[in-house]
Amino acid sequence: MATVLVVDDQPDIVRLVRDYLERGGFLVLTAADGEQALQVARRSHPDLVILDLSLPGLDGLDVARALRRDGDVPIIMLTARTEESDRVAGLELGADDYVTKPFSIQELLARVRAHLRRAPERTTSAIEAGDFVLDAIAHSITVLGKPIHLTPKEFDLLLHLARHAGKVITHRVLLTTVWGAQSAHQPEYLRVFVGQLRKKLEAETGKQYIQTEPWVGYRFVPEGWTGGEE
């Protein structure tokens, strides 16, 4: 049974989300502020965190930053802020997804299931592409033999690009594959995560591995690559 930590200072929202998650077979933990959220997360090690952006005291961005320092637990942000800059800030701090308030409880549950379902679906074989070796089971990557730390969604995005190295993958396909159909029209996900991947992958080598095809998508071309997988 997967454990989900719900963090929100509005009791009605916590109660609604908790009830639906429990009916869906999840074990649910709750917290009403940032400090309590970190205490519960560090004590109980949930499988996923639903995190409100606006919290008293330690806000959601601070909590997301701390959770990401501690590990790779998937984080879905809940936010009433409609500005793209607020959502992008959360993604840049390590959140994997976001849902804007007011939200559909069914959409939120679908996103929770999608994030928890993807890990066991990863293939058992390692992928070698030029300078890169990605191990889908160990959730690890090396570039020129050096390990690189990626968040879960960064890894999922790179894994899909690497499986189709040399080919342009459209924005819509990447969004649908990595985040689910409900995210097909949220391009800020890709802007943030491709930017983060580029920084991490190119920091040691100075090489550009992810190319932009304007208005279409992205192509992964690792150094030394001679062929790709369908």
Side-chain angles (χ1 to χ4, degrees):
M1 179 184 294
T3 301
V4 178
L5 171 59
V6 179
V7 185
D8 200 299
D9 64 333
Q10 299 181 52
D12 290 346
I13 289 180
V14 172
R15 186 161 46 249
L16 173 68
V17 175
R18 182 191 62 209
D19 289 349
Y20 272 86
L21 285 172
E22 288 178 344
R23 291 176 198 169
F26 298 99
L27 177 64
V28 181
L29 306 172
T30 65
D33 58 53
E35 292 289 354
Q36 184 183 19
L38 291 179
Q39 292 173 7
V40 174
R42 288 164 177 166
R43 181 177 66 246
S44 303
H45 307 290
D47 298 295
L48 183 142
V49 177
I50 298 173
L51 176 63
D52 183 27
L53 194 58
S54 300
L55 293 171
L58 198 66
D59 71 12
L61 294 178
D62 292 328
V63 174
R65 185 185 294 110
L67 288 173
R68 193 51 71 227
R69 283 198 303 264
D70 290 346
D72 292 331
V73 61
I75 302 170
I76 299 177
M77 294 188 309
L78 288 180
T79 175
R81 304 177 189 177
T82 58
E83 293 81 3
E84 181 178 319
S85 59
D86 290 317
R87 300 194 298 267
V88 168
L91 294 172
E92 288 178 336
L93 286 174
D96 299 286
D97 205 345
Y98 68 81
V99 174
T100 303
K101 295 179 179 178
F103 59 89
S104 160
I105 188 65
Q106 295 301 331
E107 178 185 350
L108 178 60
L109 292 179
R111 289 175 184 260
V112 168
R113 292 191 179 102
H115 283 280
L116 292 175
R117 186 169 57 239
R118 283 196 173 92
E121 288 180 350
R122 295 188 177 111
T123 62
T124 58
S125 58
I127 294 176
E128 297 186 20
D131 295 341
F132 293 77
V133 177
L134 293 91
D135 188 324
I137 293 299
H139 206 268
S140 65
I141 172 177
T142 60
V143 182
L144 296 173
K146 180 175 181 177
I148 304 294
H149 178 266
L150 301 180
T151 67
K153 278 291 169 272
E154 289 170 355
F155 185 89
D156 288 345
L157 177 58
L158 182 61
L159 185 64
H160 189 71
L161 288 168
R163 282 176 172 157
H164 304 277
K167 302 179 184 298
V168 176
I169 310 299
T170 67
H171 300 140
R172 185 180 182 87
V173 168
L174 287 171
L175 286 164
T176 300
T177 301
V178 178
W179 284 275
Q182 68 278 354
S183 300
H185 302 290
Q186 295 172 310
E188 60 266 39
Y189 281 45
L190 287 180
R191 290 199 296 271
V192 171
F193 280 83
V194 169
Q196 292 173 171
L197 276 175
R198 282 174 168 158
K199 289 178 183 178
K200 292 182 178 182
L201 301 182
E202 299 165 14
E204 299 298 325
T205 65
K207 302 174 184 177
Q208 184 178 76
Y209 299 104
I210 302 176
Q211 301 174 355
T212 299
E213 188 70 25
W215 308 108
V216 179
Y218 296 96
R219 178 192 287 110
F220 178 62
V221 185
E223 188 81 6
W225 175 82
T226 58
E229 300 182 26
E230 290 294 338

